[in-house]
Amino acid sequence: RKLADPNNRINMVHFDPNYIIYDSTSDTTYLRGRLLGKGGFARCYELLDLNSNKIYAGKIIAKTRIAKPHQRQKIIREVELHRDLKHKHVVEFHSYFEDDENVYIVLENCPRKSLVHMLKQRKVLTEPEVRCHLKQLVEAVKYVHNQNIIHRDLKLGNMLLNDHMELKIADFGLATRIGYEGEKKMTVCGTPNYIAPEVLQKRGHSFEADVWALGCVTYALLLGRPPFETSTLKETYVRITSNNYSIPQTVSQAAKSFIQKCLRHDPDQRPTVEELLSDDFFTSGFMPKSLPTSCCTNTPKFPVYARF
Ligand SMILES: CC[C@@H]1C(=O)N(C)c2cncnc2N1C1CCCC1
């Protein structure tokens, strides 16, 4: 008989038995594992749930870091917006609890890290890969918008990958809820990475700000750099408000057209995420059903399909 598959076992070497975290609300005990990195106020670690033997990603925020009411409110807001979301391509919210020292947000673990790491390794991605990632992204943002939520900080660092290379959007720290049809938000508490011109100019913004960010993400994945990047933030903001960017000829016509639609200066001229799903870009070339983990490090060789 085949012995228990060793691959199913968790490599316990990363979990320190000296760091026990107890969630009294659900009577769950976690072992703290590897540091995943820092995100805002949080130090992020792998957490091993000793009841289920599953690994999660935990955002641990020291209460001393959120002493001021408005800082604490930001955390509560992130939890309230994220906790009810359930979608294949949105990071699963597992639980929220506190102890004397910290506030804990326990989330789905994404072992393949973010598209930032992939792009650092690969420099640029192929169009089939971008079609595959972007389809999952647009489906996730369509779901979030249908919950009347604007993410407002879509960027490569918030696009995470699980062990099956499935994409999950994360971090609702800058997100907001639209209260009524046509409501326009006037401010963002924080600095989105791919910030839209109407957000910069505080002219009122809504779901279209996320479509702008998707255009920036598509550009960055295909070209290895963002569309409005300059050496200073001020200069970048000048380019955004003057819509000053260019798309090199290496980009296919369908990809170029997709980016141009998302980066229209006037938010009312941009397609909705619903409309993006039927954009020609997704049918203009090979669309992989899934991607191999080798894509994290090496350019994939897609089978050359005869195009009838
Ligand atoms: C826990 C924070 C964040 C995240 O939200 N998830 C779901 C995640 C899930 N799995 C690995 N890392 C994750 N991260 C990383 C940690 C450092 C920067 C972003």
Side-chain angles (χ1 to χ4, degrees):
R1 241 168 45 77
K2 193 162 171 289
L3 294 175
D5 176 357
N7 297 328
N8 281 340
R9 294 181 59 75
I10 281 165
N11 188 341
M12 291 301 287
V13 72
H14 301 304
F15 294 92
D16 185 340
N18 299 317
Y19 281 97
I20 297 260
I21 294 169
Y22 181 63
D23 173 5
S24 54
T25 48
S26 62
D27 185 24
T28 304
T29 305
Y30 299 93
L31 281 194
R32 202 183 78 179
R34 277 179 290 194
L35 178 71
L36 293 168
K38 294 185 183 59
F41 294 126
R43 288 173 65 82
C44 309
Y45 293 88
E46 287 180 337
L47 296 180
L48 174 62
D49 175 338
L50 294 180
N51 303 22
S52 66
N53 229 11
K54 284 175 74 177
I55 296 178
Y56 293 94
K59 290 172 96 164
I60 304 181
I61 302 128
K63 285 187 168 176
T64 52
R65 305 286 312 268
I66 49 168
K68 296 195 188 71
H70 97 276
Q71 289 167 325
R72 191 176 175 80
Q73 266 315 311
K74 281 188 74 169
I75 308 292
I76 306 294
R77 191 178 155 92
E78 172 180 343
V79 168
E80 283 174 348
L81 288 168
H82 193 168
R83 71 178 348 153
D84 301 331
L85 300 180
K86 282 183 183 29
H87 186 273
K88 183 169 197 265
H89 297 307
V90 175
V91 156
E92 187 201 21
F93 182 98
H94 183 68
S95 66
Y96 164 86
F97 61 96
E98 310 185 12
D99 60 19
D100 295 345
E101 297 82 41
N102 304 305
V103 159
Y104 303 86
I105 302 176
V106 185
L107 303 159
E108 174 180 5
N109 189 38
C110 300
R112 297 278 165 179
K113 294 184 173 302
S114 76
L115 291 184
V116 166
H117 299 86
M118 183 183 284
L119 211 56
K120 260 198 191 96
Q121 186 74 32
R122 295 275 311 281
K123 305 306 175 210
V124 294
L125 301 189
T126 61
E127 290 213 2
E129 289 176 278
V130 175
R131 269 192 279 279
C132 184
H133 289 310
L134 202 57
K135 183 113 175 21
Q136 298 174 68
L137 248 179
V138 173
E139 282 169 4
V141 178
K142 179 187 163 194
Y143 168 80
V144 169
H145 287 183
N146 287 345
Q147 308 304 312
N148 290 319
I149 291 172
I150 319 171
H151 185 283
R152 300 206 296 188
D153 197 20
L154 293 172
K155 59 181 179 180
L156 300 179
N158 287 337
M159 296 162 183
L160 306 175
L161 296 161
N162 67 9
D163 259 337
H164 305 290
M165 292 294 284
E166 288 160 336
L167 189 137
K168 313 263 178 179
I169 61 173
D171 196 348
F172 289 80
L174 291 188
T176 188
R177 193 183 297 280
I178 290 291
Y180 55 86
E181 172 82 24
E183 180 187 4
K184 299 293 178 200
K185 298 293 178 179
M186 301 314 274
T187 56
V188 184
C189 181
T191 318
N193 190 292
Y194 295 140
I195 190 163
E198 67 271 17
V199 181
L200 266 183
Q201 294 173 318
K202 299 187 173 54
R203 287 189 276 111
H205 63 271
S206 185
F207 299 110
E208 306 84 7
D210 280 346
V211 171
W212 170 276
L214 289 173
C216 295
V217 163
T218 308
Y219 186 106
L221 290 176
L222 289 171
L223 294 159
R225 57 182 166 76
F228 300 97
E229 185 171 71
T230 68
S231 48
T232 69
L233 197 62
K234 190 176 170 308
E235 175 56 30
T236 297
Y237 286 176
V238 166
R239 292 205 180 178
I240 292 169
T241 46
S242 57
N243 206 248
N244 171 11
Y245 72 97
S246 62
I247 303 176
Q249 291 311 317
T250 52
V251 171
S252 74
Q253 184 45 46
K256 179 173 183 177
S257 159
F258 182 94
I259 292 167
Q260 288 171 325
K261 286 175 196 166
C262 294
L263 297 186
R264 283 175 184 151
H265 189 268
D266 177 358
D268 298 333
Q269 296 302 313
R270 289 176 214 148
T272 63
V273 271
E274 177 101 40
E275 287 160 353
L276 283 182
L277 267 180
S278 39
D279 190 273
D280 291 344
F281 177 53
F282 292 114
T283 52
S284 67
F286 178 51
M287 164 68 88
K289 289 273 168 303
S290 63
L291 294 169
T293 52
S294 61
C295 286
C296 291
T297 50
N298 300 85
T299 306
K301 304 270 173 294
F302 292 109
V304 180
Y305 281 59
R307 288 178 59 76
F308 296 102

